[in-house]
Amino acid sequence: DSNVLHCAHKYGATKVISLLSSFAYPNDASIPLIEKDLHAGHVILHMEDFILENIQNNCTHIIEAYGNAKRQLEILSRSYRKQYGLDSVTILPTNILGKKKELRADGPVVESLIAKALISAKSSTPFVCRGSGTPVRQFCYAEGKHIILYLLLYTLNFSLDLAKVILWALDSYSHDAPLNVAGPEISIKELAEEIASLLDLKGNVLYDLSYSDGPLKRTVSVEKLRRLWPEFQPTDFNTALKEILQDLKK
């Protein structure tokens, strides 16, 4: 990230949009999370959002470093704007869901649940969700792994919310403060059961209560985005999920 900003300044780029993460918000910040509170406390990340098998043992420091690195990127972006006049802005999306060719059962929550549901469908074994399913999260619909792919696919009329906001920000957002981007809230239970329904899984989803739920809500406010771009409407979550699962069946 620092190299991107350095090269943008060195070679005269007119604008840079950097992506942060909602994991950069403080653990004890008030809900909903608003942009001005990004640096208002320490980063203590919620491991259940990653569902990594060995997170308790040796990955905690890596993920916490990720959140802090995103904070530093926001500071660096503001610094280049102030010192060099570079039109550098930051966008802060929540959990991202999108189409992927390879799924990890130990990856982020949506990817993990889809991977486990597919394994369950193929092996006729129970579909197990960790925790009670009670927590509520927001998911931002994106595409693939790389932002260039997001933008290219959006030009082909794909429903890609993050790409829409980035393209809008290129022309319409020029400010040193970050901008939250988030989809509608959905509980983990609703998510798991919708995946099971779309894949025609037999039997009920099982919830493993030996795993903790973590915080019940980490709602990110999108009031600022709505105020600046009232025409923007995020993709309905079920529509996004259907597109992702249909792509996996190809």
Side-chain angles (χ1 to χ4, degrees):
D1 293 321
S2 60
N3 285 335
V4 170
L5 287 167
H6 171 73
C7 291
H9 163 62
K10 181 176 180 179
Y11 295 104
T14 57
K15 188 156 192 170
V16 176
I17 294 179
S18 300
L19 294 183
L20 308 181
S21 168
S22 58
F23 288 118
Y25 274 111
N27 183 55
D28 56 355
S30 299
I31 301 297
L33 301 169
I34 56 178
E35 291 86 351
K36 71 179 183 63
D37 290 336
L38 181 62
H39 298 280
H42 295 293
V43 173
I44 304 175
L45 297 178
H46 304 297
M47 303 310 134
E48 73 283 349
D49 285 331
F50 279 79
I51 318 183
L52 293 172
E53 296 287 353
N54 58 346
I55 197 66
Q56 301 297 335
N57 298 322
N58 58 13
C59 290
T60 302
H61 65 288
I62 297 175
I63 298 178
E64 188 164 338
Y66 171 77
N68 280 302
K70 289 300 185 180
R71 279 192 179 188
Q72 295 304 313
L73 174 57
E74 192 276 329
I75 294 171
L76 191 62
S77 178
R78 281 190 284 117
S79 298
Y80 268 84
R81 172 180 285 273
K82 183 176 181 180
Q83 183 170 352
Y84 300 116
L86 177 65
D87 189 6
S88 178
V89 302
T90 52
I91 290 176
L92 200 158
T94 54
N95 299 287
I96 291 175
L97 76 154
K99 300 173 185 177
K100 299 191 71 173
K101 294 301 181 184
E102 296 182 6
L103 298 173
R104 297 168 294 161
D106 61 351
V109 59
V110 176
E111 180 181 341
S112 173
L113 288 175
I114 292 175
K116 291 177 180 178
L118 290 172
I119 292 171
S120 176
K122 291 179 180 179
S123 62
S124 298
T125 55
F127 176 29
V128 180
C129 175
R130 293 180 179 177
S132 69
T134 304
V136 173
R137 295 292 183 264
Q138 294 161 293
F139 299 97
C140 184
Y141 188 30
E143 175 66 37
K145 183 178 179 181
H146 302 290
I147 199 63
I148 296 299
L149 186 58
Y150 298 165
L151 301 180
L152 289 175
L153 289 174
Y154 176 59
T155 63
L156 299 175
N157 296 317
F158 280 71
S159 299
L160 309 174
D161 298 341
L162 184 55
K164 295 175 187 177
V165 174
I166 292 171
L167 290 175
W168 167 83
L170 283 171
D171 293 324
S172 304
Y173 188 71
S174 182
H175 198 277
D176 61 354
L179 179 66
N180 287 340
V181 183
E185 289 186 308
I186 182 172
S187 73
I188 302 302
K189 182 176 181 179
E190 290 174 308
L191 169 61
E193 294 185 353
E194 183 63 20
I195 291 172
S197 174
L198 291 173
L199 292 176
D200 296 321
L201 293 184
K202 306 302 180 183
N204 296 326
V205 179
L206 302 182
Y207 296 92
D208 186 346
L209 301 183
S210 67
Y211 289 89
S212 65
D213 281 331
L216 293 182
K217 299 190 77 173
R218 287 283 288 173
T219 307
V220 171
S221 171
V222 290
E223 182 60 34
K224 182 177 177 181
L225 176 60
R226 289 173 179 165
R227 184 176 71 252
L228 296 174
W229 190 18
E231 296 82 10
F232 174 70
Q233 293 293 329
T235 303
D236 174 76
F237 185 82
N238 285 354
T239 298
L241 196 57
K242 287 177 182 177
E243 289 184 7
I244 292 168
L245 293 176
Q246 286 171 358
D247 186 71
L248 288 170
K249 294 177 180 178
K250 293 179 181 178

